[in-house]
Amino acid sequence: VKIGSNVTIAAQSGLAGLVNVQDNVCINGQVGVAPLINIGKGAQINGKSLVHCDIKDYEIWSGNPAMAHFTYLRAYSYLKRKFARKINE
């Protein structure tokens, strides 16, 4: 594990194997990072996420499995609309 400067890692987070965490990264609570992952400079990983691929500089990732935050929000809103229709029918 290689950790850069000014990195915040919250409680109950795990980094497995060879992980490269660059400068100014924020890893929130209950995050799991798989082996052989590079986390770019200034990236943020939101809580309860499972990272399985590299994260580029200054990206925000969420979810299980983790994905770019805007992709996560799009998928979440789609599922919310889909299940809301079934409940209302």
Side-chain angles (χ1 to χ4, degrees):
V1 176
K2 181 180 175 186
I3 299 177
S5 64
N6 199 26
V7 173
T8 303
I9 301 176
Q12 298 179 350
S13 294
L15 306 174
L18 299 173
V19 177
N20 182 18
V21 180
Q22 295 184 12
D23 300 339
N24 301 317
V25 171
C26 181
I27 299 175
N28 294 316
Q30 297 181 350
V31 169
V33 180
L36 303 173
I37 299 295
N38 292 313
I39 301 175
K41 188 180 297 183
Q44 178 181 347
I45 305 170
N46 291 330
K48 297 185 179 180
S49 298
L50 178 60
V51 179
H52 59 86
C53 59
D54 291 346
I55 297 177
K56 296 178 184 173
D57 293 348
Y58 303 103
E59 286 188 339
I60 300 172
W61 282 50
S62 303
N64 185 3
M67 59 187 82
H69 191 65
F70 65 90
T71 306
Y72 171 78
L73 291 176
R74 190 178 319 141
Y76 177 78
S77 63
Y78 168 76
L79 291 173
K80 187 175 178 181
R81 284 192 309 268
K82 182 177 179 178
F83 287 112
R85 281 190 221 131
K86 287 186 177 183
I87 293 170
N88 292 332
E89 292 177 354

